[in-house]
Amino acid sequence: MKLGFIGTGALTAAIVTGLKSAADNSVTVLLSPRNQEIAASLALRYRDVRVAPDNQAVLDSCDTVMLAVWPQIAHEVLTGLRFRRDHHVVSLIATLSREEIATLIAPVEHVTKALPMPMIAHRQGATIICPPDRRMAAFFGRLGKVIEVDDPSEFDALSVVTASFASYFKYLDTIHGWLKEHGVADAQARDYIVTIFKALANAPETTPDTGFMDLAQDYATRGGLNEQILRELTARNVFDAFAESLDGVHRRISAGAAPRIGPQS
Ligand SMILES: NC(=O)c1ccc[n+]([C@@H]2O[C@H](COP(=O)([O-])OP(=O)(O)OC[C@H]3O[C@@H](n4cnc5c(N)ncnc54)[C@H](OP(=O)(O)O)[C@@H]3O)[C@@H](O)[C@H]2O)c1
């Protein structure tokens, strides 16, 4: 595979870093020259990673091309380029549909949507792929888990999950702040939270047949402390409000209007 990237930003850097830290990392990579600093540092760091003089040179030298620019500029960037019918184009632009991308990159026939996340740099997390694609499943499978879906609406719904990351850290930060207010040293509080939540995150994987609510109930002993917090938050409609926010993000993604997915969302 000769792999090219149009757009060398945070996500491209994460994919190339994950790829080049894998045992079998012989894929040659050609990067578009923007962002210049990121492209140059990746080329300096890894063998078989080069920076092309321009976007067209990436297309001319590669068989597989990942699109990693923001949706707002995708039209301007892509319509000026000459794609070949035999290119395999993988769009990482979450909020543009496969049909919209296909129109911009005609005459390409093979278009796949993929949604990796920045933790791919550490070969962790999961990449959603639509429609299922053997080559891309094998590629991303070396960099973490792969979830393949046939239905674009399923892809959009799964994408909504990525909008909950910031709130997850806010949840941990609330506990951290509370501990500090109650006299626990900053580092010790953080260490405890990190360790205990890592163990909790492992629980669904170690008991794959157990539902999330069953896991909640395991801790929510009647009259116990976990039950108190779960009951109080439920009574204040915290979880309903959260589900409504997921609905709101889903509407934006489905309408192709979500400006940013990722750490800066
Ligand atoms: N970051 C995430 O977690 C994440 C997750 C899933 C999907 N995505 C999607 O991935 C795409 C890229 O996200 P990102 O976080 O990597 O963004 P980013 O860090 O802002 O990178 C985008 C890159 O595109 C470059 N660019 C601008 N104009 C260009 C042009 N005409 N030709 C080639 N490159 C150009 C920019 O270069 P300059 O810096 O020189 O302007 C920038 O380095 C977006 O569509 C986003 O929705 C991101």
Side-chain angles (χ1 to χ4, degrees):
M1 179 195 295
K2 282 189 172 170
L3 176 62
F5 287 87
I6 301 294
T8 306
L11 191 57
T12 296
I15 296 170
V16 173
T17 302
L19 180 66
K20 290 298 167 187
S21 65
D24 172 17
N25 63 13
S26 57
V27 174
T28 57
V29 174
L30 192 57
L31 302 169
S32 63
R34 280 182 65 183
N35 174 282
Q36 210 174 29
E37 207 176 302
I38 300 174
S41 86
L42 289 169
L44 197 66
R45 203 168 342 137
Y46 302 114
R47 271 187 60 214
D48 301 327
V49 175
R50 290 183 299 114
V51 185
D54 55 38
N55 290 340
Q56 187 60 49
V58 173
L59 300 187
D60 294 345
S61 303
C62 296
D63 50 67
T64 307
V65 181
M66 298 207 177
L67 307 179
V69 290
W70 286 103
Q72 294 88 335
I73 61 163
H75 189 274
E76 178 197 327
V77 174
L78 299 176
T79 48
L81 296 172
R82 291 180 309 282
F83 284 84
R84 297 192 307 268
R85 186 177 298 274
D86 65 344
H87 273 132
H88 181 183
V89 173
V90 182
S91 173
L92 310 177
I93 308 171
T95 54
L96 291 185
S97 72
R98 192 164 157 251
E99 288 70 28
E100 285 169 307
I101 292 292
T103 308
L104 297 176
I105 60 172
V108 177
E109 288 175 347
H110 197 167
V111 184
T112 307
K113 278 193 60 163
L115 187 61
M117 283 287 120
M119 54 280 237
I120 198 168
H122 310 288
R123 286 182 287 128
Q124 291 176 0
T127 298
I128 316 165
I129 294 178
C130 181
D133 184 278
R134 206 168 40 83
R135 275 179 85 230
M136 278 308 113
F139 176 85
F140 284 111
R142 286 192 281 140
L143 307 180
K145 198 180 182 75
V146 170
I147 310 276
E148 294 183 275
V149 295
D150 277 311
D151 186 347
S153 64
E154 221 179 322
F155 183 95
D156 285 349
L158 285 166
S159 321
V160 172
V161 174
T162 66
S164 67
F165 297 171
S167 303
Y168 167 74
F169 286 116
K170 174 67 185 169
Y171 180 85
L172 299 189
D173 183 64
T174 304
I175 302 173
H176 188 213
W178 187 92
L179 282 175
K180 285 192 296 179
E181 270 172 28
H182 287 76
V184 181
D186 188 333
Q188 199 147 11
R190 190 178 193 281
D191 193 24
Y192 184 61
I193 293 166
V194 168
T195 310
I196 217 81
F197 277 88
K198 193 171 175 189
L200 281 178
N202 282 334
E205 219 173 19
T206 51
T207 53
D209 297 327
T210 310
F212 294 121
M213 205 52 216
D214 294 324
L215 290 169
Q217 296 301 347
D218 283 350
Y219 283 99
T221 320
R222 189 183 286 271
L225 307 178
N226 267 270
E227 193 246 15
Q228 179 180 340
I229 292 187
L230 180 59
R231 178 171 33 79
E232 288 176 2
L233 293 182
T234 305
R236 286 182 203 160
N237 298 321
V238 170
F239 300 108
D240 290 340
F242 182 45
E244 277 171 29
S245 289
L246 296 176
D247 280 341
V249 169
H250 190 215
R251 281 192 294 277
R252 283 176 73 186
I253 288 181
S254 306
R260 281 170 113 77
I261 283 194
Q264 311 91 351
S265 308

